[in-house]
């Protein structure tokens, strides 16, 4: 038992050392609004039945993404069918065929229509039944729910209520939006994977409130009674305001305690949570949109043609009826019979000369039925047959079959096949769609010397465009060792250079700096080392980048072996003596990475007693922090970084400094004082403390990792661009990540002018800390409008000939204001003028709104591609939705073509070649 507890502590993620604002923010001004409009949610934890008694009505946890149900299928489906003008026309004709006016039997009029309607409704029903089955599988998943006296029983997701206490175990999804109460870790943290929500595969850390940390066992929930008051259901994934009342005390809640439905628990044995939002109140469902009724361009075109045919038919029938009325009226004149053989004196109402106008009207109705074959109902049947056969061909297309996963293409609906040849704009997700989300360490620059012979996807694509083959043998001055190529591939490591590998780094002139470089990679991170039954060590990291760094250090002889609350152990191979020694570093502080800091640092004490600050971060911030005597290799390193960026690689700068005891002591006191501060500027004080120590660094070098693209992505994007198809990338990734991948997939190119619209600016950040929401919104909107205006002015008018190309990059905060009614047309005007558009940190709803804007304003065919549940809204809004079975799963696709991922970028040429050929003709 004791050994198990020790092992658990060793596996501990060091949140007690995490300095920055992830887990311990002070209460915000928004907490004062709890109980007011928009913040009226009340939850009685462990007392779900009390909510009914007090008159609160919250939905159950059952969700539905279907288009129809038993009650609405018939009326809604019939409405869909009779939106087609021809169907409506034949319905009217069929009804008239039941009257004596009909020149033929009613069966001959109604039978073909019934066949078409029933067949199409059956197809719609089957497609919706598949959605129903997906919902059924989801709603009937099992989770453990507290049912009193400390007993947790297995319960279906659909039966979960607001206020229930849930126990979720490792690698399971959260069934509802919950407040984290505790986890198996002593400090109440857990790791959450949110790829289904925002597309990011890096793990997020959540932490329970300190007052609930002791709730670690089932039996302890027997007497737990808490009241949570929080904001009402909304679609914002990144904010949450609430408070918890327990034992007479109020405790503020923040997004760091919020666990969202459809995110997954990772690297944590179990957690306990209190349900606050269920079913369609959850944030993921708030971001969802109802399944749309999509109609293809051909179908709409056919309606217009039918209108023309109907107008022609009406004119012909009307002309005939007018003449019929005139002639009928003249049949009896002055008591004489003109056409005596028709016996007009004894005719029915249909031929009565005394009521010629009425007879003319009835003749019009008869003529409309008689000439109804002028409107070809068989045309609809033929097109439906063609579409069905096309869908079968798509499903059987070997070019869109993924052999590794044994997944073929599957056309979920055949209504939109012909749209594939008319696509004007493609809106694509990024992580897992354009990329494999697998980082590989491929190159590095150490002490001004470039190492690594690997060739990136971008380099290969550039070489092909220039007409020559890029051979690994001629890279980097001919340093090549065939033995290296024969070695088995290691995920995350694609580094090849005999000067460094196999311990040969010890013969390099700057071997001490090389050693320090890889030691930094092995120490400066937040990874967890896990050992399997065979003693093999694997790593769990917050991001693929960090995993690649740790794997690279291990493969080159500096293995991150173990960590505890206060230590990091690495196993270091000494090539000179061919021995492996363990080095134990005392972990003093972790200064965590954030988007504003753009760097991460750790402070450790070496076995020899030196205190080191090890830092890695973006070149834009790291070079400014170098000491005068630490810039020896700055020029060469900058040059290498530029070369790596041209090759589509993600780069980080590595640097360090030695701290004396007095300096560290002063910093630690300053940091602790900032962390314990309760003032409004607490976060600012913490950042200032970190800034004060992360200076006077000594440059070691830079890393370069490649986010592997899906097979064929650069070539596909190049061909699509040649066809005049515009590509927008809508991603939940950070701006830096999105830009790097943009370069990697040739969406962005060197020399392209980047128009960046962001609210991550000092004055806006300062206003967010101190201002009220109305002031912040007003200032932010004005800033976005100003940046859009500046961007429009940068682009020369279409009358001027210019070779300069532009790329628009906008973050999620700015996108919120850019999509407002009085701004969106200017935003779209700027976006259309740019060769590439990247929207970063986009929520699922923003992706859908951008897609809707492009579709409605341009009136061109849009195609959306995605591989996660966060992309469903975008796929539904687009004219065509392509769901890829990728790393982020396939959760509730209401789309046209779910494809195996890597097969898409190769197989999609089949679809697009039809469009390109057709357009050119």
């Amino acid at each position: 038992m004791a050994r198990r507890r020790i092992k658990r502590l060793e596996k501990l993620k060091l949140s007690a050392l995490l300095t920055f604002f992830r887990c311990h923010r002070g209460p915000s001004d928004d907490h004062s609004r709890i109980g007011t409009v928009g913040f009226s949610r009340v939850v009685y934890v462990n007392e779900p039945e009390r909510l009914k008694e007090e008159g609160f009505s919250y939905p159950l946890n059952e969700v539905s993404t279907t288009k129809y149900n038993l009650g609405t299928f018939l009326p809604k489906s019939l409405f869909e069918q009779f939106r087609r003008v021809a169907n409506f026309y034949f319905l009217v004709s069929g009804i008239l065929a039941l009257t004596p006016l009909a020149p033929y039997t009613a069966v001959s009029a109604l039978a073909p229509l019934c066949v078409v309607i029933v067949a199409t409704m059956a197809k719609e029903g089957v497609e919706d039944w598949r959605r129903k089955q997906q919902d059924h599988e989801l709603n009937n998943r099992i989770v453990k729910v507290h049912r009193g006296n400390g007993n947790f029983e297995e319960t279906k997701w659909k039966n979960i209520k607001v206020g229930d206490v849930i126990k979720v175990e490792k690698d399971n999804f959260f069934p509802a939006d919950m407040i984290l109460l505790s986890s198996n870790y002593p400090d109440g943290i857990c790791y959450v994977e949110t790829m289904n929500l925002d597309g990011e595969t890096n793990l997020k850390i959540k932490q329970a409130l300190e007052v609930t940390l002791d709730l670690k066992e089932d039996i302890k929930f027997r007497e737990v009674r808490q009241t949570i008051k929080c904001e009402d259901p909304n679609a914002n994934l990144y904010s949450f305001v609430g408070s918890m009342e327990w034992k007479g005390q109020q405790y503020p809640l923040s997004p760091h305690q919020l666990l969202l439905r459809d995110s997954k628990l990772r690297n944590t044995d179990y957690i306990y949570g209190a349900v606050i939002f269920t079913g369609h109140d959850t944030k993921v469902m708030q971001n969802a949109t109802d399944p749309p009724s999509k109609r293809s361009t051909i179908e709409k075109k056919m309606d217009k043609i039918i209108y023309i045919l109907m107008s022609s038919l009406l004119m012909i029938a009307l002309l005939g009826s007018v003449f019929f009325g005139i002639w009928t009226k003249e049949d009896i004149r002055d008591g004489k019979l003109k056409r005596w053989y028709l016996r007009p004196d004894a005719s029915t109402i249909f031929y009565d000369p005394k009521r010629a106008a009425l007879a003319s009207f009835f003749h019009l109705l008869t003529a409309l039925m008689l000439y109804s074959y002028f409107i070809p109902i068989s045309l609809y049947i033929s097109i439906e047959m063609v579409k069905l056969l096309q869908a079968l061909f798509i499903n059987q297309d070997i070019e869109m079959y993924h052999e590794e996963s044994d997944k073929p293409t599957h056309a979920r609906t055949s209504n939109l096949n012909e749209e594939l040849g008319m696509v004007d704009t493609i809106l694509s997700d990024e992580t897992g769609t354009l990329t494999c989300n697998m980082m590989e360490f491929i190159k590095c620059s150490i002490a001004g010397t470039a190492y690594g012979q690997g060739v990136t996807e971008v380099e290969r694509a550039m070489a092909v465009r220039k007409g020559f083959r890029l051979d690994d043998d001629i890279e980097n001055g001919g340093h090549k060792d065939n033995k290296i190529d024969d070695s088995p591939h290691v995920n995350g490591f694609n580094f090849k250079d005999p000067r460094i590998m196999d311990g040969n780094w010890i013969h390099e002139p700057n071997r001490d700096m090389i050693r320090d470089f890889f030691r930094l990679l092995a120490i400066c991170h937040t990874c967890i080392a896990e050992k399997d039954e065979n003693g093999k060590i694997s790593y769990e990291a917050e991001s693929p980048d960090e995993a690649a760094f740790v794997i690279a250090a291990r493969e080159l002889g500096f293995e991150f072996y173990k960590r505890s609350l206060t230590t990091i152990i690495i196993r270091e191979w000494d090539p000179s003596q061919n021995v492996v020694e363990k080095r134990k570093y005392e972990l003093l502080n972790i200064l965590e990475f954030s988007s504003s800091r753009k760097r991460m640092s750790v402070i450790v004490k070496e076995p020899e007693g030196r205190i080191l600050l090890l830092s890695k971060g973006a070149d834009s911030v790291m070079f400014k922090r170098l000491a005068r005597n630490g810039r020896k290799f700055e020029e060469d390193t900058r040059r290498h970084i530029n070369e790596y960026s041209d090759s589509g690689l993600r780069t980080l700068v590595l640097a360090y400094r030695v701290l004396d005891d007095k300096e560290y002591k002063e910093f630690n006191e300053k940091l602790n004082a900032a962390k314990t501060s309760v003032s409004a500027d607490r976060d600012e004080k913490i950042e200032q403390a970190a800034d004060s120590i992360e200076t006077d660094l000594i440059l070691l070098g830079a890393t370069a990792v490649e986010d592997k693209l899906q097979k064929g992505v650069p070539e596909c994007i190049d061909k699509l661009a040649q066809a005049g198809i515009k590509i927008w990338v809508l991603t939940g990734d950070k701006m830096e990540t999105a830009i790097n991948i943009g370069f990697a997939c040739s969406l962005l190119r060197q020399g392209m002018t980047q128009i960046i619209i962001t609210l991550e600016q000092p004055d806006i950040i300062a206003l967010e800390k101190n201002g009220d929401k109305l002031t912040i919104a007003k200032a932010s909107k004005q800033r976005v409008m100003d940046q859009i205006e500046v961007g429009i002015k940068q682009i020369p008018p279409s009358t001027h000939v210019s070779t300069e190309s532009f790329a628009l990059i906008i973050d999620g905060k700015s996108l919120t204001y850019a999509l407002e009614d009085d701004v969106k047309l200017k935003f779209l005007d700027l976006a259309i003028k740019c060769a590439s558009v990247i929207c970063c940190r986009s929520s699922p709803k923003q992706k859908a709104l951008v897609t809707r804007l492009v579709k409605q304003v341009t009136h061109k065919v849009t195609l959306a591609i995605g591989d996660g549940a966060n992309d469903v809204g975008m796929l539904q809004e687009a004219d065509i939705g392509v769901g890829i079975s990728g790393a982020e799963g396939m959760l509730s696709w209401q789309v046209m073509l779910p494809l195996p991922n890597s097969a898409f970028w190769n197989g999609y040429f089949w679809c697009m070649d039809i469009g390109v050929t057709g357009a050119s003709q």
Side-chain angles (χ1 to χ4, degrees):
M1 186 73 179
R3 186 176 297 174
R4 189 179 300 169
R5 288 184 62 192
I6 291 170
K7 186 173 182 181
R8 185 179 294 173
L9 285 169
E10 286 176 344
K11 189 181 171 184
L12 193 65
K13 166 75 176 180
L14 317 173
S15 62
L17 294 170
L18 296 183
T19 302
F20 289 93
F21 355 97
R22 176 170 276 176
C23 301
H24 298 290
R25 277 186 182 270
S28 69
D29 293 338
D30 285 335
H31 286 82
S32 63
R33 301 175 64 186
I34 292 174
T36 62
V37 176
F39 295 82
S40 60
R41 189 82 163 189
V42 177
V43 177
Y44 297 116
V45 177
N46 236 355
E47 300 177 281
E49 301 304 325
R50 183 178 167 188
L51 292 167
K52 276 188 181 179
E53 295 171 6
E54 298 197 7
F56 294 102
S57 179
Y58 299 139
L60 293 175
N61 201 41
E62 187 171 12
V63 298
S64 173
T65 60
T66 57
K67 190 174 176 180
Y68 310 108
N69 57 41
L70 285 176
T72 63
F73 175 71
L74 195 60
K76 285 183 74 173
S77 186
L78 285 173
F79 171 75
E80 289 295 326
Q81 300 311 311
F82 291 112
R83 285 171 69 188
R84 294 176 172 177
V85 181
N87 285 352
F88 184 74
Y89 170 76
F90 283 112
L91 175 66
V92 173
S93 295
I95 294 172
L96 291 174
L98 298 171
T99 69
L101 292 169
Y104 44 72
T105 61
V107 174
S108 63
L110 291 173
L113 178 64
C114 290
V115 170
V116 172
I117 296 296
V118 169
T120 310
M121 286 177 63
K123 187 186 73 170
E124 289 278 330
V126 169
E127 289 169 357
D128 207 54
W129 177 251
R130 290 174 183 156
R131 299 188 190 108
K132 179 71 175 176
Q133 289 177 314
Q134 290 178 339
D135 291 340
H136 179 78
E137 186 274 329
L138 193 68
N139 290 324
N140 286 279
R141 287 180 180 176
I142 300 298
V143 71
K144 292 181 179 178
V145 179
H146 185 239
R147 294 305 183 197
N149 297 320
N151 296 321
F152 280 76
E153 297 178 3
E154 290 189 342
T155 305
K156 293 179 179 179
W157 278 24
K158 65 182 180 182
N159 297 325
I160 292 172
K161 300 175 183 176
V162 171
D164 280 337
V165 174
I166 306 289
K167 183 178 183 179
V168 179
E169 296 175 334
K170 185 177 180 180
D171 293 331
N172 286 325
F173 289 98
F174 299 122
D177 289 354
M178 306 188 298
I179 294 297
L180 176 62
L181 299 177
S182 63
S183 74
N184 64 294
Y185 291 114
D187 50 0
I189 64 159
C190 70
Y191 298 92
V192 176
E193 184 180 79
T194 60
M195 69 169 86
N196 279 338
L197 303 178
D198 56 19
E200 292 191 14
T201 54
N202 57 303
L203 304 183
K204 313 291 192 303
I205 297 178
K206 303 290 184 177
Q207 186 171 34
L209 295 177
E210 191 174 344
V211 293
T212 62
L213 294 184
D214 63 332
L215 301 174
K216 293 185 177 299
E217 298 173 4
D218 294 0
I219 196 66
K220 290 190 175 182
F221 286 91
R222 183 170 51 187
E223 304 297 333
V224 171
R225 297 293 183 271
Q226 300 168 340
T227 301
I228 294 175
K229 297 180 180 179
C230 63
E231 64 188 19
D232 293 336
N234 61 74
N236 197 324
L237 298 174
Y238 304 108
S239 70
F240 177 75
V241 177
S243 67
M244 176 190 290
E245 182 182 334
W246 195 28
K247 297 180 180 178
Q249 297 290 324
Q250 293 279 352
Y251 303 96
L253 298 171
S254 72
H256 306 303
Q257 287 83 47
L258 183 64
L259 305 173
L260 298 178
R261 180 188 172 110
D262 287 337
S263 50
K264 182 186 280 189
L265 184 66
R266 297 290 302 275
N267 297 347
T268 310
D269 292 340
Y270 61 85
I271 63 98
Y272 293 99
V275 176
I276 57 170
F277 297 126
T278 52
H280 289 273
D281 281 352
T282 58
K283 288 183 180 285
V284 67
M285 294 307 296
Q286 288 283 309
N287 274 284
T289 54
D290 293 331
S293 299
K294 295 185 179 182
R295 303 182 71 212
S296 68
T297 305
I298 280 189
E299 197 172 310
K300 294 173 185 175
K301 190 84 171 179
M302 282 172 57
D303 279 355
K304 293 178 182 178
I305 293 171
I306 295 297
Y307 279 126
I308 295 171
L309 292 175
M310 284 179 63
S311 301
S312 304
L313 172 61
L314 183 61
M315 288 179 65
I316 294 170
L318 189 61
L319 187 66
S321 299
V322 168
F323 282 106
F324 174 82
I326 294 170
W327 292 333
T328 300
K329 190 174 183 179
E330 293 177 348
D331 276 346
I332 298 179
R333 179 173 292 182
D334 299 329
K336 296 180 180 180
L337 303 180
K338 185 176 182 181
R339 292 187 293 179
W340 55 269
Y341 49 87
L342 294 178
R343 295 298 308 273
D345 56 329
S347 66
T348 63
I349 189 173
F350 303 117
Y351 306 98
D352 189 351
K354 297 177 182 178
R355 291 181 286 180
L358 191 58
S360 176
F361 174 72
F362 287 135
H363 182 276
L364 174 65
L365 297 179
T366 304
L368 288 174
M369 287 185 280
L370 189 62
Y371 303 148
S372 64
Y373 294 104
F374 196 62
I375 313 287
I377 193 171
S378 59
L379 176 63
Y380 279 101
I381 299 174
S382 301
I383 287 180
E384 287 295 333
M385 291 288 291
V386 168
K387 286 183 176 182
L388 186 61
L389 290 173
Q390 282 179 338
L392 292 174
F393 279 123
I394 290 172
N395 291 346
Q396 299 297 322
D397 190 350
I398 195 66
E399 295 296 327
M400 291 192 283
Y401 168 72
H402 192 236
E403 189 174 355
E404 295 172 13
S405 60
D406 190 29
K407 287 185 179 179
T409 308
H410 184 54
R412 294 290 177 91
T413 175
S414 59
N415 289 348
L416 308 169
N417 296 353
E418 67 276 9
E419 301 284 272
L420 289 168
M422 297 181 282
V423 174
D424 176 78
T425 304
I426 293 177
L427 302 104
S428 174
D429 179 39
E430 182 181 74
T431 306
T433 302
L434 295 178
T435 71
C436 301
N437 201 38
M438 292 172 56
M439 304 297 175
E440 289 195 335
F441 185 91
I442 189 168
K443 294 182 181 182
C444 62
S445 170
I446 308 174
T449 303
Y451 297 98
Q453 299 172 351
V455 180
T456 68
E457 299 269 359
V458 174
E459 287 174 325
R460 293 187 190 279
M462 288 169 60
V464 169
R465 284 197 293 270
K466 291 177 181 178
F468 62 89
R469 188 174 68 88
L470 191 62
D471 195 325
D472 290 359
D473 292 332
I474 61 174
E475 286 294 294
N476 291 299
H479 297 287
K480 185 78 177 175
D481 189 342
N482 290 330
K483 287 191 302 179
I484 297 174
D485 286 342
D486 296 334
S487 60
H489 177 72
V490 177
N491 287 335
F493 185 73
N494 192 25
F495 183 83
K496 302 173 185 178
D497 199 319
R499 295 173 293 171
I500 291 285
M501 302 185 73
D502 298 325
N504 292 332
W505 61 266
I506 201 168
H507 304 300
E508 289 292 293
N510 292 299
R511 58 178 176 269
D512 289 343
M513 295 196 74
I514 294 173
R515 180 198 61 207
D516 292 342
F517 182 93
F518 289 111
R519 278 182 179 174
L520 190 152
L521 290 182
I523 296 169
C524 185
H525 56 78
T526 56
C527 298
I528 298 172
E530 293 186 336
K531 190 187 295 185
D532 62 17
E533 297 175 352
N534 300 320
K536 186 178 178 181
I537 291 179
S538 59
Y539 301 116
E540 293 288 349
E542 288 190 43
S543 67
D545 309 62
E546 282 211 330
F549 293 144
V550 178
I551 290 168
R554 180 191 67 191
E555 294 300 311
L556 295 169
F558 299 83
E559 181 184 42
F560 165 53
Y561 179 65
K562 187 185 293 185
R563 81 185 311 153
S564 69
L565 188 61
T566 56
T567 60
I568 286 181
I569 299 174
I570 64 172
R571 295 198 298 192
E572 191 173 305
W573 176 43
D574 184 354
S576 61
Q577 300 180 23
N578 197 25
V579 294
V580 176
E581 63 170 325
K582 287 185 180 179
R583 289 181 59 83
K584 188 175 184 179
Y585 292 83
E586 184 181 348
L587 185 59
L588 303 176
N589 298 91
I590 297 178
L591 311 181
E592 200 189 26
F593 178 88
S594 72
S595 57
S596 58
R597 282 167 42 76
K598 297 183 180 179
R599 63 189 181 279
M600 174 200 174
S601 302
V602 297
I603 301 176
V604 296
K605 181 180 279 189
E606 287 186 311
E608 294 80 11
R610 284 196 312 170
I611 297 177
L612 298 178
L613 181 141
L614 308 176
S615 187
K616 64 183 181 186
D619 58 299
S620 58
V621 296
M622 292 296 289
F623 283 126
K624 298 175 185 176
R625 299 183 171 274
L626 297 179
R628 287 187 179 180
N629 62 347
R631 298 176 177 270
K632 182 178 178 182
F633 309 106
E634 181 181 1
E635 187 177 339
D636 290 331
T637 305
R638 282 184 183 273
R639 178 167 48 83
H640 294 151
I641 287 174
N642 290 334
E643 291 172 359
Y644 297 154
S645 297
D646 290 344
S647 301
L649 300 176
R650 302 185 183 198
T651 60
L652 283 180
V653 174
L654 275 56
Y656 78 102
R657 68 173 291 195
V658 180
L659 306 175
D660 58 48
D661 291 342
K662 181 182 177 183
E663 189 177 15
Y664 173 70
K665 186 177 180 182
E666 290 175 355
F667 158 75
N668 203 38
E669 289 174 354
K670 184 178 179 181
L671 182 65
N672 288 333
K675 287 198 289 185
T676 55
S677 171
V678 292
S679 61
D681 61 348
R682 172 183 175 274
D683 295 341
E684 193 173 328
K685 288 180 178 178
I686 293 175
E687 191 160 344
Q688 287 173 357
D691 284 345
S692 68
I693 200 71
E694 292 173 319
T695 57
D696 297 328
L697 302 176
I698 298 172
L699 178 64
L700 287 172
T703 60
V705 296
E706 181 183 20
D707 188 357
K708 299 295 287 184
L709 299 175
Q710 296 291 346
K711 187 178 179 183
V713 166
E715 296 86 350
C716 181
I717 288 178
D718 190 48
K719 284 199 175 185
L720 294 172
Q722 289 177 31
I725 295 171
K726 295 178 280 292
I727 300 175
W728 291 35
V729 171
L730 311 177
T731 176
D733 280 347
K734 298 188 291 289
M735 183 174 286
E736 296 86 353
T737 305
I739 291 173
N740 284 330
I741 294 174
F743 278 109
C745 67
S746 301
L747 194 64
L748 302 177
R749 297 174 294 279
Q750 293 300 318
M752 180 180 276
T753 302
Q754 295 181 13
I755 300 172
I756 297 178
I757 300 176
T758 178
L759 291 176
E760 293 296 325
Q761 299 176 15
D763 55 336
I764 299 296
I765 293 171
L767 198 61
E768 286 175 345
K769 290 180 179 178
N770 304 314
D772 63 86
K773 281 198 169 183
L774 191 62
T775 307
I776 294 168
K778 188 175 179 181
S780 299
K781 183 176 179 179
Q782 188 59 48
R783 179 57 57 87
V784 170
M785 292 175 69
D786 292 343
Q787 291 180 83
I788 290 174
E789 291 287 354
V790 170
I792 292 173
K793 290 176 182 176
Q794 278 184 259
I795 302 174
S798 55
T799 53
H800 289 68
V801 178
S802 175
T803 57
E804 190 176 6
S805 57
F806 295 85
L808 175 63
I809 302 159
I810 183 170
D811 63 16
K813 277 186 184 178
S814 305
L815 195 58
T816 302
Y817 300 103
L819 292 173
E820 291 189 4
D821 290 341
D822 55 337
V823 185
K824 62 184 182 183
L825 293 180
K826 281 189 176 181
F827 165 65
L828 187 63
D829 181 44
L830 172 60
I832 289 173
K833 291 177 180 177
C834 293
S836 303
V837 180
I838 299 177
C839 301
C840 318
R841 301 298 288 173
S842 306
S843 69
K845 201 152 199 170
Q846 285 177 328
K847 291 184 178 184
L849 290 173
V850 170
T851 307
R852 183 186 301 172
L853 177 65
V854 175
K855 182 176 72 171
Q856 289 181 348
V857 177
T858 63
H859 302 293
K860 303 280 182 68
V861 177
T862 56
L863 180 144
I865 315 164
D867 71 324
N870 58 311
D871 302 315
V872 170
M874 173 177 72
L875 302 180
Q876 290 176 335
E877 281 293 343
D879 293 298
I880 310 165
V882 179
I884 294 179
S885 174
E888 298 179 24
M890 277 178 37
L891 195 74
S892 304
W893 290 128
Q894 289 84 25
V895 294
M896 180 186 168
L897 291 171
L899 298 178
N901 205 341
S902 62
F904 173 80
W905 295 102
N906 295 315
Y908 190 54
F909 290 133
W910 182 87
C911 300
M912 291 313 304
D913 284 343
I914 295 173
V916 173
T917 305
S920 63
Q921 292 175 345

